[in-house]
Amino acid sequence: MRTTITIPDELAASARRMSGKRRLSAAIADVIRESESRRHRMELLQFFLENKPPHNWKKIKSERSKRKWSA
């Protein structure tokens, strides 16, 4: 999508440094993509911290010991 925005020079330079991209458009897209990815990971982490896992360690350990492993 094409758009016109006003970005301070120091912020644009920082976006280029952070992303390693030369073109400003690519740098901004990369920084936004990374920000969205980080936000998604934080939401997943929050979900797993708030909810109890559907398994427990004792059950996993007992099931492993019953299995016959072959090489």
Side-chain angles (χ1 to χ4, degrees):
M1 176 172 64
R2 204 168 175 85
T3 187
T4 303
I5 57 175
T6 304
I7 300 175
D9 291 336
E10 58 274 356
L11 191 58
S14 176
R16 283 185 180 134
R17 274 194 311 276
M18 286 173 50
S19 69
K21 307 283 184 190
R22 223 174 144 174
R23 292 181 49 229
L24 183 58
S25 296
I28 290 173
D30 197 42
V31 169
I32 291 172
R33 198 174 297 115
E34 177 63 30
S35 174
E36 285 298 313
S37 175
R38 184 174 292 127
R39 183 178 312 220
H40 179 69
R41 288 191 310 264
M42 291 302 292
E43 287 173 358
L44 283 174
L45 179 62
Q46 188 66 34
F47 173 79
F48 287 120
L49 288 173
E50 291 173 355
N51 297 300
K52 186 177 178 183
H55 57 275
N56 66 33
W57 176 246
K58 287 182 182 180
K59 184 176 179 183
I60 292 171
K61 193 172 180 181
S62 70
E63 291 297 318
R64 277 190 190 163
S65 64
K66 293 177 187 176
R67 242 184 238 175
K68 300 290 183 196
W69 297 97
S70 61

